[in-house]
Amino acid sequence: MESQSQKKNSLDKINLVQEPACTNPSCFFCTMNEPDPSLRKAKLARCFKEMPLRDDQEHVLVLRGIWNIAMTQPDDPEFPSLGIFECMGRLIQRAVNDKEWLLRDQNIYIPYYAAHTIGSYTMNKVHFAEKAVNSNVVMPLIELLRGKISWVEQRVAVRSLSHLASHERTFEAIAEHEVEIIKLAMEIACNCISTVYRRFIGVKNSKRVKYHSDLLTTGLGDLEMENRKAEEWASQLQCWSLHLLDCFACKGRSLNLICNKHFLKELCGMWGGLVNCASPCGIGSIRTLCNFKTGRESLANSKEVIESLCNISRSSDDWQYMAIDCVLLLLKDTDTRYLVIDTAALSLADLVELRSLNERNNVGETITQTLLQDYHKIKYGDLKLRSQDAERALKETWDLMVERRKREKLMSEQELKERKHLVGMLKQEGNKKFWSGHIEKAVTKYTKALDLCPLKMRKERIVLYSNRAQGYLLLNNPEAVISDTTRALCLSTSASPHKKSLWRRAQAYDMKGLAKESLMDCLMFIQGRTKAEQTKHAKIPYFAARMIHKQMNATWLFATIAKSKNKYEAKVETPEVLEHGEDPCQVTEINERNDSVAEESMMEGKRRRRSKQDRLRRRKEAAVITAELAAQNAVR
C-alpha cells in the first residue's frame, strides 16, 4: 500500500492535469488512477504489452513517468511482475530496427528511458534481474552497447548489463556473449572520453543533438550545466564499462583479453575524476587483476602500471590502500617480485612507518615484512637487484625497522635525553643555515638530526622530515621531497595529517607533472587548514587556490583532448543520431531525413499549439519534468 501511494505521489501532478476526460482505453496515466487494484494490474499488463506495438505521441511521456517511478522505487515489484522488462526490451529493439519510427515525433528519447528503467529495477533485486533476462532484454541492450544509436544510450545500456552481470544467477546469461561484451566494454572505456568530446563537448551549442542536451539537463539547463553533466556522464560511462569488465575478471574470465598491453596502459590513467570520485575506476580493475596469476604477470610487465601504482601509494588518493595492496600482491608472487621490486622498493620504503590506513592497522609492518622477506640474500651477496637505488632503499628499511629498533631498546633514559638535546641543537643549526641561504648545509644538518632522533620521538621526526623536504624543494629534487614528506605524513595521523608536508608534496608532484597526485594533496591541505581554523568562513590561501586551479585544469576529464584542440577542430564530427556500425550513405540519408522531420515537426508544432489536445499534452510534459527534477538526487 505504501508503494502504491508513493507511485501516486510521483505522478500526482500528471494526474491533476488530466482534463478533459481521457477517451483512450489504454492510457497509462488513467490506469495509474484506477482505484481497483486487480483492475489496475490487468490494465497495466495490457498497457505494457500493447505499448511496443502502437504508435502514440504520448509514449515518451509514459516512458518518462515509468523511469521516474523506477528511479525512486527500484525495489517495488509491481511493474516487474506485470511485464515491464519485456515492454522495455521490445521498445529498444524496435528503436534499433526501425529507424523511421525512431526519428518520428519524440521517439528518439524512448531507448534511453527504456534501458535506464531496466537498469534501475535490476540494480538490487536478483529475482528482478532474472525476470529481465527471461524477458529477453540482453540482446536489445547489447545492440545499444554496440553504439547503434549514440553514446547516451551506451551509458544506460552498460549500466544495465553491469547490474545483470553482477548477480550470480544472471551472470551466465550475459556470459553467453562474453567475448563481444568484453571487447565492447574495453573499447568504450578507452574511447568514451574522446567520443563525448567529439560528439558533444567540442561541438558548437547550436549544432549539438537536441535530445542529448535535453536529457542532460531535463530541458531546463544552460550551456554550462550541459557541459558539466556531459563530463559526469562521460566519466560514468567509463566507470560502468570497467565495472562490467570486473564482473568477468573477478571470476577469472577472459583475462587473456582484458590483460591487453595497450588496454592496461590506458587503464592506469582512468581515475574517474572528481565528478565521479566514488568509483575506484582503473585502480579497482587493476586490484581485481592482481588476484590472478595471469593478471599479475601482465601487470608486472607494464612499466606504466607499476609507476602509476607507486605514485598512488604515496598520495592522498582515496584509493591509496588499493594501490598498496596491488604492489604487495605483486611482490609476494615469486614470479613477479623481481619484475617490480626495483621500482616498488623506492616507494614502499617511505611507507614502512604507516600505522593505519582505511581502517587497516599495522600497514607499515606488512609492507616491511614484504619488502624484507628475502633481504638476507641481498645482504650476504647471494642476490643482486638491477637497481642500486632499490638495494639502498631495502638496506635503509632494514636499518630503520630492524637494527635501529634493537639498538634503541637497549638505550638508557640518560642516553635518550642526550640524543633529544643533540637533535634539538642540530635542528636549530639547520634552520639557521636554511634562513641564511645555505640550503645544502641545512639539509645535511637535518639528515644528521634524523639519524640521531629516537624513533619514538614522532613529532620531532615529522618536523625534521618536512624541513628537509623544503630544502630539497629549493634544490629542485622533487623525488626526495616526495620521499621525505611521505615519511612525515606516515608518522602523523590520518585524521590530522601534517599540513606543511601535504603542501610541499603537492609542489613536488607538480614539478614532476603528476597533476592528479598534486591536486589530491592540495585538497587535503585545504581541508586540514579549514578544520584547524575552526571557523565557518575559513579562507583558502591564494597560493593553494592557484595550485588547485592549475591542477583542476590539468586533470579535467577532457584535458588531454583539449590540448589537441587544433587537431580536433578539423576532426570534430557533426553529431549523428546513429554513430557506429552503419553504412555512411544510410547515415547521411538518416541525417537528411532527421533535418526534414525537424522542420516538419516545427511547422506541425505551430499548428498544434492552437489545439486543446496539444495544450493538455504540454501540461503533462511540464508536470513530468517537475517530477523528474525531484528524482535527480536518486540517480545511481
Side-chain angles (χ1 to χ4, degrees), residues 225-271:
M225 182 180 289
E226 280 185 19
N227 291 340
R228 189 165 61 248
K229 290 295 292 184
E231 180 182 2
E232 181 181 340
W233 282 21
S235 176
Q236 290 174 353
L237 177 55
Q238 187 176 69
C239 292
W240 279 115
S241 300
L242 294 179
H243 183 264
L244 182 56
L245 290 172
D246 277 356
C247 292
F248 289 90
C250 67
K251 293 179 172 58
R253 305 278 292 258
S254 296
L255 294 182
N256 59 325
L257 292 175
I258 298 173
C259 292
N260 174 279
K261 186 176 181 180
H262 171 72
F263 178 68
L264 293 180
K265 182 179 178 180
E266 295 287 325
L267 186 64
C268 62
M270 300 177 191
W271 72 290

Side-chain angles (χ1 to χ4, degrees), residues 3 7 44 48 66 69-70 73-87 117-118 120-122 125 127-132 135:
S3 177
K7 279 200 284 288
L44 280 173
F48 292 150
I66 292 173
I69 292 170
Q73 304 163 59
D75 299 334
D76 185 351
E78 183 178 28
F79 284 3
S81 67
L82 299 176
I84 188 68
F85 294 122
E86 184 176 1
C87 175
T117 299
I118 293 172
S120 297
Y121 276 122
T122 57
K125 299 291 187 180
H127 58 282
F128 288 2
E130 288 182 300
K131 282 182 179 292
S135 300

Side-chain angles (χ1 to χ4, degrees), residues 523-543:
L523 295 176
M524 285 295 292
F525 170 70
I526 294 299
Q527 183 179 352
R529 282 183 62 99
T530 304
K531 287 182 179 179
E533 291 183 19
Q534 295 180 346
T535 174
K536 294 181 180 179
H537 304 289
K539 294 182 179 180
I540 298 176
Y542 173 72
F543 59 84

Side-chain angles (χ1 to χ4, degrees), residues 158-351:
V158 74
R159 171 179 178 263
S160 299
L161 289 169
S162 294
H163 289 324
L164 293 173
S166 64
H167 298 299
E168 197 67 36
R169 300 207 309 244
T170 53
F171 173 77
E172 288 302 327
I174 307 300
E176 289 179 8
H177 313 277
E178 182 170 354
V179 174
E180 182 182 14
I181 287 177
I182 292 291
K183 290 182 178 179
L184 286 171
M186 290 171 62
E187 180 185 352
I188 292 170
C190 291
N191 300 326
C192 64
I193 305 303
S194 61
T195 297
V196 176
Y197 184 87
R198 288 186 292 109
R199 296 184 182 274
F200 193 83
I201 295 292
V203 177
K204 291 182 180 179
N205 187 34
S206 59
K207 294 184 178 180
R208 290 180 175 179
V209 176
K210 183 179 182 299
Y211 89 94
H212 285 181
S213 299
D214 290 342
L215 288 174
L216 285 162
T217 63
T218 62
L220 301 175
D222 55 12
L223 181 62
E224 182 181 354
M225 182 180 289
E226 280 185 19
N227 291 340
R228 189 165 61 248
K229 290 295 292 184
E231 180 182 2
E232 181 181 340
W233 282 21
S235 176
Q236 290 174 353
L237 177 55
Q238 187 176 69
C239 292
W240 279 115
S241 300
L242 294 179
H243 183 264
L244 182 56
L245 290 172
D246 277 356
C247 292
F248 289 90
C250 67
K251 293 179 172 58
R253 305 278 292 258
S254 296
L255 294 182
N256 59 325
L257 292 175
I258 298 173
C259 292
N260 174 279
K261 186 176 181 180
H262 171 72
F263 178 68
L264 293 180
K265 182 179 178 180
E266 295 287 325
L267 186 64
C268 62
M270 300 177 191
W271 72 290
L274 294 178
V275 296
N276 202 16
C277 56
S279 170
C281 211
I283 187 67
S285 297
I286 292 172
R287 177 65 180 80
T288 301
L289 294 175
C290 281
N291 288 322
F292 301 93
K293 190 78 171 177
T294 302
R296 290 193 295 271
E297 290 176 351
S298 300
L299 293 169
N301 284 293
S302 174
K303 179 182 177 182
E304 292 82 6
V305 170
I306 303 305
E307 289 180 349
S308 176
L309 291 175
C310 290
N311 289 332
I312 297 174
S313 68
R314 296 190 299 177
S315 75
S316 299
D317 196 296
D318 288 339
W319 313 112
Q320 178 190 8
Y321 72 96
M322 279 194 180
I324 293 174
D325 283 351
C326 291
V327 180
L328 291 180
L329 286 170
L330 292 170
L331 288 173
K332 290 176 182 178
D333 187 334
T334 55
D335 292 329
T336 58
R337 178 176 177 82
Y338 296 104
L339 294 174
V340 303
I341 195 169
D342 292 297
T343 303
L346 299 175
S347 298
L348 292 190
D350 298 329
L351 301 168

Side-chain angles (χ1 to χ4, degrees), residues 412-428:
S412 64
E413 288 296 325
Q414 181 62 30
E415 190 176 357
L416 288 173
K417 286 182 181 180
E418 291 175 359
R419 285 282 188 97
K420 185 175 181 179
H421 177 70
L422 185 56
V423 167
M425 291 179 58
L426 287 169
K427 176 188 168 185
Q428 289 180 2

